[in-house]
């Protein structure tokens, strides 16, 4: 069974450009999460989808970040326009709907560098 | 609010020596506790988790952790480390929403 997959694995863009990160969760997982780790800091929660609905987007840093989850399957995270401080690794994770301490499975991350 | 503190940012240790990575948490509600590991150039992988029951939890690769409610700790231990254990380790807590709160991470450096 495929794990959580993320694309692209690495991206280098200039300040002001747009980047779209994609995440394919494990098949059948209704919970989908985005986390981010900027250089030297802890991994921080960005938002949580349950199927196609945003359950919690309290961690989204500002309105330059837009997350969508089409049809409750894959998700995209768009950064527009990108700023230098957006550099870091963006993790996607998924888990089954009936959460009771279920393991949250992480992808390998999308490493974003804004220059 | 919940928070996690990993007391050591780096832990150097020689191969075959024991190691303990410390984690303390703060929460006003019951929590689930996790340790994740990130090997170089890889994603986060679950090592072990505490949900309830026995306070000593065994995970993959010979790691174990002990939940101590009175000290609000969940320290990770391994009796004998290998070079391949070199990685960054993250402690995390979760209330009941699925939203993980991570510590700052501890880099374990195993030396030959």
């Amino acid at each position: 069974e495929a794990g959580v997959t993320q694309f692209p694995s690495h991206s280098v863009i200039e300040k002001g450009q747009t980047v779209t990160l994609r995440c394919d969760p494990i098949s059948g997982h209704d919970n989908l999460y985005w986390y981010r780790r900027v250089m030297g800091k802890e991994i921080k929660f960005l938002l949580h989808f349950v199927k196609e609905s945003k359950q919690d987007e309290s961690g989204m840093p500002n309105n330059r970040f837009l997350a969508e989850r089409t049809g409750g399957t894959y998700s995209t995270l768009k950064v527009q326009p990108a700023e230098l401080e957006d550099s870091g690794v963006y993790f996607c994770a998924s888990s089954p709907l009936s959460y009771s301490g279920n393991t949250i499975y992480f992808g390998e991350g999308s490493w974003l560098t804004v220059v | 609010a919940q928070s996690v503190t990993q007391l050591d940012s780096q832990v150097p240790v020689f191969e075959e020596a024991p190691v303990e990575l410390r984690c303390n948490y703060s929460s006003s509600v019951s929590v689930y506790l996790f340790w994740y590991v990130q090997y170089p150039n890889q994603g986060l992988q679950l090592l072990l988790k505490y949900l309830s029951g026995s306070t000593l939890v065994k995970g993959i690769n010979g790691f174990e952790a002990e939940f101590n409610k009175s000290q609000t700790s969940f320290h990770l231990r391994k009796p004998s480390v290998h070079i391949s254990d070199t990685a960054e380790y993250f402690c995390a807590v979760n209330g009941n929403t699925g939203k993980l709160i991570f510590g700052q991470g501890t880099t374990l450096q195993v030396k030959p």
Side-chain angles (χ1 to χ4, degrees):
Chain A
E1 181 180 343
V4 177
T5 56
Q6 295 187 242
F7 181 83
S9 57
H10 292 80
S11 182
V12 180
I13 62 171
E14 292 185 352
K15 176 182 173 181
Q17 288 186 321
T18 297
V19 64
T20 300
L21 310 177
R22 172 171 170 144
C23 169
D24 286 79
I26 292 172
S27 178
H29 282 190
D30 290 323
N31 287 312
L32 187 149
Y33 309 87
W34 284 98
Y35 290 82
R36 176 175 79 163
R37 189 185 194 196
V38 297
M39 187 66 69
K41 300 284 184 68
E42 66 269 30
I43 301 169
K44 285 199 168 180
F45 168 83
L46 294 179
L47 87 160
H48 172 202
F49 284 100
V50 176
K51 298 184 180 178
E52 68 276 8
S53 300
K54 291 177 185 175
Q55 184 77 13
D56 180 354
E57 51 183 329
S58 60
M60 294 289 264
N62 52 60
N63 60 10
R64 295 186 294 103
F65 289 75
L66 175 64
E68 295 179 326
R69 189 177 183 191
T70 306
T73 55
Y74 71 91
S75 174
T76 57
L77 180 64
K78 179 189 289 188
V79 185
Q80 179 183 30
E83 299 289 345
L84 299 179
E85 64 264 25
D86 300 331
S87 296
V89 58
Y90 291 76
F91 290 105
C92 178
S94 72
S95 70
L97 180 60
S98 55
Y99 183 80
S100 295
N102 280 332
T103 297
I104 297 175
Y105 296 88
F106 282 79
E108 295 196 349
S110 288
W111 302 76
L112 174 65
T113 302
V114 182
V115 298
Chain B
Q2 298 168 340
S3 67
V4 178
T5 302
Q6 291 182 242
L7 299 165
D8 305 297
S9 60
Q10 295 191 5
V11 174
V13 63
F14 287 105
E15 192 173 20
E16 298 184 6
V19 70
E20 178 180 82
L21 306 184
R22 296 180 293 171
C23 172
N24 286 88
Y25 69 93
S26 172
S27 177
S28 57
V29 299
S30 296
V31 295
Y32 301 130
L33 294 156
F34 304 80
W35 275 99
Y36 281 84
V37 59
Q38 185 178 21
Y39 297 105
N41 301 316
Q42 295 187 27
L44 292 168
Q45 180 181 357
L46 181 70
L47 267 181
L48 48 81
K49 61 183 178 182
Y50 172 79
L51 304 182
S52 63
S54 173
T55 57
L56 183 62
V57 181
K58 294 190 182 296
I60 62 171
N61 301 338
F63 284 92
E64 63 182 32
E66 185 158 18
F67 170 60
N68 188 319
K69 188 174 182 180
S70 63
Q71 297 186 5
T72 60
S73 68
F74 191 56
H75 300 331
L76 181 71
R77 301 186 183 100
K78 186 169 182 178
S80 175
V81 295
H82 302 290
I83 295 288
S84 59
D85 292 323
T86 294
E88 191 162 17
Y89 292 77
F90 297 91
C91 183
V93 301
N94 182 322
N96 58 2
T97 64
K99 173 179 164 181
L100 290 170
I101 307 298
F102 285 91
Q104 300 89 332
T106 298
T107 298
L108 176 62
Q109 300 164 322
V110 182
K111 304 176 181 180

